[in-house]
Amino acid sequence: MCRVMPGRSLVLATFLMMAANVSAAWTTISASSFTDENGIERFPACSQGDTFSFFVDEPESAEGLLLYFAGGGACWDAATCVGSAQTDSPTYYGSIWETAESLDVLSADVDGSGAGGILTTRLDNPYARFVKVYIPYCTGDVHIGSSDTNYDYTLPSEAGVQTAPSSRTIHHRGFDNLLAALTWIRSHLSINDFGEITVAGSSAGGYGALLNFPVIRESLDAEGADYSIIIDSSNGVLTNGFVDRAFGPSKTDPGVWNARQNLHPSLAAIPDLDASSLWVTAIKTVARRYRDTRLSQSTAAYDLVQSIVYWTMKAVDQGTYDPFVEPTQNELLLLDLLEWSPKARWAMVSTALQAPNYRYYLGAGQGHIHLLLDEASSLFPTTNYFEEDSAMGVLYTDWLHDMLYNNRFLNTDWRNLTCFPNCL
């Protein structure tokens, strides 16, 4: 189904005249334990066991539903889950920093920075009038885990005095948190009223958006709705060691996240693939199973944050990872230029050749995250949702607009776009 909507010039003009009439009012929804449809008891929580809450914004005359997964790294062994948490550069964020009030500010764009990106009520945002459900990230498991895993880690000695081992239980409950949100959505929103349903995520949230999409689609199966997925700054350049630790090396070993049980049957074999083909296969599988769903993937060509994550995976696999020692600029530059970037770019091109309902947007530079201004990574370059146009001169917001409303016409911006040859 393809709905014809007002052109972008009209939308922008309407924004200039009427933006003051649009506002956001986010509501906090706290989750508690519950029994799912399969009789499994679920325990929503953040990594330290604190309460998990998600956020909802319901504008009047909503045009669709946006389910957005936040990012924030990952952890998969004692050094990343316990050791890194003691540093200024943890590999994951274990608590929720967002509040309904902070999301109100982001959505209203009071400082003009566009930091709220896809969440904003600015009418040059194609999602301005969608009901938005924001899934925070605080579990280190890319929104797919269901475990309470104990990690033992010995911190470096101080002044020759050996430090006692530190033991910490990490609640990898990302999937349980999602199910709590889906349960609320089914109970409080009229799914069949939505003409568009988009599942989106940035960084770790992009993995959650794709891997959980089959479960979400079956849970939120609306009559006559168009579906889309946005995978932002989540390019699946992984290592086998990471996959084995997180998902387990076999069906009898659940790994530290206990995530295999949460994967839809169509994706059940994904963790057993070689890491080099895992993500492309996952995207292709979802694209082919749901041929009526549009899949969009975007990244900066030399995403520095994703390169750091890949560097960490390699170091953990080699047994050389020390959370208290950061990689040098030269190490990161070489890894970014020679390994991460070529692998990420080739994966997008090869996916496009195999999935006709998939498009990619390859932007220039080292920025991380297109859908929101990544305040959590303020030390790194960032991109701007409303100003990004480094892929063949097409605005990122125009690209998403056409994904939603103009994706089946010859004259569309929703096509495979690249910054090449000016990607630096």
Side-chain angles (χ1 to χ4, degrees):
M1 183 180 298
C2 181
R3 293 173 172 79
V4 179
M5 296 296 292
R8 282 161 294 183
S9 59
L10 178 58
V11 170
L12 181 56
T14 304
F15 161 70
L16 293 173
M17 293 184 294
M18 301 179 60
N21 296 327
V22 182
S23 60
W26 290 88
T27 302
T28 304
I29 311 295
S30 296
S32 56
S33 60
F34 64 100
T35 301
D36 70 13
E37 296 176 341
N38 298 315
I40 300 174
E41 193 168 6
R42 300 289 181 176
F43 299 94
C46 286
S47 66
Q48 301 306 305
D50 42 328
T51 300
F52 172 77
S53 298
F54 58 96
F55 306 96
V56 180
D57 175 40
E58 298 182 67
E60 295 182 3
S61 304
E63 296 171 356
L65 172 66
L66 170 65
L67 186 65
Y68 179 80
F69 289 84
C75 82
W76 58 97
D77 75 336
T80 54
C81 289
V82 182
S84 75
Q86 316 300 318
T87 73
D88 294 330
S89 302
T91 63
Y92 73 107
Y93 292 92
S95 59
I96 297 174
W97 64 267
E98 303 95 332
T99 64
E101 292 75 19
S102 70
L103 291 177
D104 283 343
V105 173
L106 283 176
S107 301
D109 192 26
V110 295
D111 62 358
S113 69
I118 198 170
L119 304 179
T120 62
T121 55
R122 288 170 47 166
L123 292 188
D124 50 348
N125 170 23
Y127 288 94
R129 294 194 180 279
F130 277 50
V131 171
K132 303 175 187 69
V133 179
Y134 184 95
I135 310 294
Y137 182 52
C138 58
T139 52
D141 58 8
V142 302
H143 298 275
I144 195 67
S146 290
S147 74
D148 299 325
T149 302
N150 189 69
Y151 298 96
D152 294 319
Y153 185 79
T154 302
L155 296 173
S157 59
E158 296 182 7
V161 178
Q162 183 63 40
T163 306
S166 175
S167 180
R168 179 177 296 182
T169 297
I170 300 296
H171 300 271
H172 296 295
R173 291 282 168 180
F175 186 75
D176 295 30
N177 295 345
L178 166 62
L179 291 186
L182 293 177
T183 300
W184 185 92
I185 291 171
R186 290 196 306 271
S187 299
H188 292 82
L189 301 177
S190 298
I191 298 301
N192 289 330
D193 291 344
F194 297 125
E196 299 280 347
I197 296 179
T198 295
V199 179
S202 298
S203 198
Y207 294 97
L210 181 81
L211 294 176
N212 287 313
F213 181 78
V215 172
I216 296 169
R217 178 69 185 262
E218 292 186 1
S219 179
L220 306 181
D221 190 13
E223 297 179 5
D226 289 341
Y227 289 84
S228 55
I229 305 171
I230 307 173
I231 307 164
D232 171 29
S233 302
S234 320
N235 285 79
V237 181
L238 313 171
T239 67
N240 287 314
F242 163 76
V243 175
D244 285 347
R245 286 184 177 88
F247 289 91
S250 68
K251 295 178 181 178
T252 58
D253 184 340
V256 297
W257 292 351
N258 192 26
R260 284 178 179 259
Q261 64 169 349
N262 300 328
L263 293 171
H264 187 271
S266 62
L267 294 174
I270 292 298
D272 298 318
L273 299 176
D274 188 87
S276 62
S277 61
L278 186 154
W279 194 232
V280 171
T281 304
I283 297 176
K284 182 176 65 176
T285 299
V286 172
R288 291 180 175 177
R289 180 177 178 84
Y290 304 101
R291 296 182 185 275
D292 61 342
T293 297
R294 297 142 295 177
L295 288 84
S296 291
Q297 186 173 20
S298 56
T299 190
Y302 299 99
D303 187 319
L304 186 58
V305 173
Q306 290 194 75
S307 295
I308 291 174
V309 173
Y310 182 50
W311 175 89
T312 303
M313 289 179 183
K314 294 185 67 174
V316 170
D317 289 358
Q318 296 164 4
T320 60
Y321 175 66
D322 182 344
F324 296 90
V325 178
E326 295 185 358
T328 66
Q329 290 295 324
N330 285 339
E331 283 180 298
L332 285 180
L333 180 62
L334 288 175
L335 184 71
D336 197 358
L337 292 173
L338 302 180
E339 288 196 59
W340 183 86
S341 183
K343 289 180 179 180
R345 286 182 280 126
W346 171 243
M348 296 172 84
V349 172
S350 61
T351 303
L353 294 174
Q354 301 176 69
N357 49 335
Y358 164 93
R359 304 286 187 276
Y360 64 78
Y361 187 105
L362 181 66
Q366 293 184 300
H368 186 58
I369 295 183
H370 284 116
L371 294 177
L372 296 177
L373 185 62
D374 187 15
E375 295 182 334
S377 298
S378 59
L379 295 178
F380 305 109
T382 57
T383 57
N384 189 302
Y385 177 77
F386 294 103
E387 298 176 3
E388 172 60 46
D389 65 352
S390 61
M392 300 172 68
V394 175
L395 278 170
Y396 186 63
T397 48
D398 288 352
W399 190 68
L400 291 181
H401 175 280
D402 281 10
M403 178 196 72
L404 284 174
Y405 303 124
N406 187 36
N407 56 81
R408 296 185 183 178
F409 298 102
L410 293 177
N411 184 23
T412 178
D413 280 331
W414 192 61
R415 60 189 192 276
N416 294 318
L417 299 174
T418 177
C419 56
F420 186 82
N422 299 310
C423 290
L424 287 174

